Amino acid sequence: MKKTLFTITLLLMICMQASAQPKARKNQQKTTTTGVTERQRLTFPTAVAMPEDVVWRRDIYRTLDLTKDANAALYYPVEPMGKQINMFTFVFRLVITGALPIYQYRLDGNESFMEKDKIKVKEFLDNYNIFYEEKDGRFVIDNSDVPSAEVLSYYIKECSYYDQNTSTFATKVLALCPIMHRREGYASVATKFPLFWIKYSDLEPFLSRLTMMTSNYNNAATMSAADYFTLKKYKGDIYKTNNMLGKSLSQYCPNDTAMKKEQARIEAELLAFEKNIYGSTVKKDSLDSVSVTKDGKKKVKKSLTRRSDSKSSKVKKSSPKKSKSSSSSTGRISVRRERH
């Protein structure tokens, strides 16, 4: 009787452990508020958030033109080719499965990641006439119906900052917005439709799975999308910065020439800050005794030349005395010669 009770309790304990394991796995697979599971966060442990207490930062908005070679990696291939898919198709698949939240593009162009600004997937598909089917509460969309060919540019928000805790200067992407270029009716020029904002921290854990081709000459040269944005391989023109007036460049630049000058000025400011963050290189060169000119020749400081001039003048003054001593010494030598 005791043996049977022992076996029954043992079987009950085994059953309880077996039933507890799926619950633990389900808890591990539970999504957070950003739509990313704990397992996905573990597979991308290198994502470093920007500290909130930095002493210097500047937020900049850029336009990425996917027709340029530097940004073409985000566009190719237009339709999936085996395991290769482009950036928008990858993001689109995450959105329709509910793994990636999207937020509306407001009229002022600013991003807002509040709960009230979230866009429902069905509402997004209906607004842009994207064909879909619903099966068991899921959206089924064919690859040919994904408008990846029309997404020819992106808005990107990046932040350049200096972290005093690590004494490093870094640039990090904060948000992305795909832009659809669609011709309506008989229009000769396509109209731009900013689709939605994506919080980059929500997208970042997934980007390590997206591999992109980065060279037109070497098709074996690939890179993950996470490295592509971390290493800042993209190139884009500045169209807005965070300023106290809240204006974009087009609002205070009267023409295209003035806008290009303003873009160049902002780029030069960022480059100068990064270059001189540990001290001005001009001041360091002035402290050296010898500086290099543009021609590559060495140039001695004026202070040193003055010293050399003063020394030469002293030598000139003492030259008559040396001549007397030299004459006397020659006379002595001649006398000694006569004695010999």
Side-chain angles (χ1 to χ4, degrees), residues 106-123:
R106 303 192 303 182
L107 294 177
D108 58 359
N110 295 323
E111 73 287 350
S112 176
F113 299 116
M114 300 178 67
E115 190 68 25
K116 63 181 181 65
D117 295 314
K118 276 189 178 180
I119 302 175
K120 295 181 180 179
V121 178
K122 188 174 182 179
E123 180 183 349

Side-chain angles (χ1 to χ4, degrees), residues 111-180:
E111 73 287 350
S112 176
F113 299 116
M114 300 178 67
E115 190 68 25
K116 63 181 181 65
D117 295 314
K118 276 189 178 180
I119 302 175
K120 295 181 180 179
V121 178
K122 188 174 182 179
E123 180 183 349
F124 163 69
L125 297 175
D126 292 334
N127 287 340
Y128 294 98
N129 300 320
I130 301 173
F131 180 77
Y132 65 91
E133 294 180 359
E134 283 190 79
K135 292 182 179 180
D136 300 329
R138 295 190 304 174
F139 297 99
V140 180
I141 302 173
D142 191 73
N143 289 329
S144 59
D145 294 322
V146 179
S148 59
E150 296 178 306
V151 178
L152 297 174
S153 59
Y154 280 88
Y155 287 146
I156 186 171
K157 180 183 179 181
E158 65 179 19
C159 177
S160 298
Y161 64 94
Y162 173 71
D163 186 2
Q164 71 276 12
N165 298 317
T166 57
S167 298
T168 54
F169 181 86
T171 300
K172 186 174 179 62
V173 179
L174 299 181
L176 286 169
C177 175
I179 306 171
M180 179 187 293

Side-chain angles (χ1 to χ4, degrees), residues 87-248:
M87 180 72 174
F88 181 75
T89 305
F90 183 77
V91 170
F92 187 83
R93 293 297 179 190
L94 292 173
V95 170
I96 63 174
T97 56
L100 183 66
I102 55 177
Y103 302 85
Q104 65 177 348
Y105 182 89
R106 303 192 303 182
L107 294 177
D108 58 359
N110 295 323
E111 73 287 350
S112 176
F113 299 116
M114 300 178 67
E115 190 68 25
K116 63 181 181 65
D117 295 314
K118 276 189 178 180
I119 302 175
K120 295 181 180 179
V121 178
K122 188 174 182 179
E123 180 183 349
F124 163 69
L125 297 175
D126 292 334
N127 287 340
Y128 294 98
N129 300 320
I130 301 173
F131 180 77
Y132 65 91
E133 294 180 359
E134 283 190 79
K135 292 182 179 180
D136 300 329
R138 295 190 304 174
F139 297 99
V140 180
I141 302 173
D142 191 73
N143 289 329
S144 59
D145 294 322
V146 179
S148 59
E150 296 178 306
V151 178
L152 297 174
S153 59
Y154 280 88
Y155 287 146
I156 186 171
K157 180 183 179 181
E158 65 179 19
C159 177
S160 298
Y161 64 94
Y162 173 71
D163 186 2
Q164 71 276 12
N165 298 317
T166 57
S167 298
T168 54
F169 181 86
T171 300
K172 186 174 179 62
V173 179
L174 299 181
L176 286 169
C177 175
I179 306 171
M180 179 187 293
H181 297 236
R182 177 174 286 181
R183 293 184 180 181
E184 295 182 334
Y186 297 98
S188 58
V189 181
T191 306
K192 295 182 181 180
F193 295 96
L195 299 179
F196 47 77
W197 280 108
I198 309 167
K199 199 174 181 180
Y200 185 75
S201 58
D202 296 343
L203 179 62
E204 196 170 16
F206 301 100
L207 291 181
S208 59
R209 306 201 314 247
L210 177 61
T211 304
M212 304 183 301
M213 188 174 67
T214 57
S215 175
N216 291 326
Y217 305 102
N218 182 11
N219 300 145
T222 58
M223 179 184 294
S224 68
D227 293 337
Y228 179 85
F229 286 107
T230 302
L231 298 175
K232 201 180 176 183
K233 293 294 184 179
Y234 57 87
K235 289 184 180 179
D237 296 329
I238 299 173
Y239 73 90
K240 183 182 176 182
T241 61
N242 271 353
N243 52 70
M244 291 183 289
L245 297 176
K247 291 183 178 181
S248 61

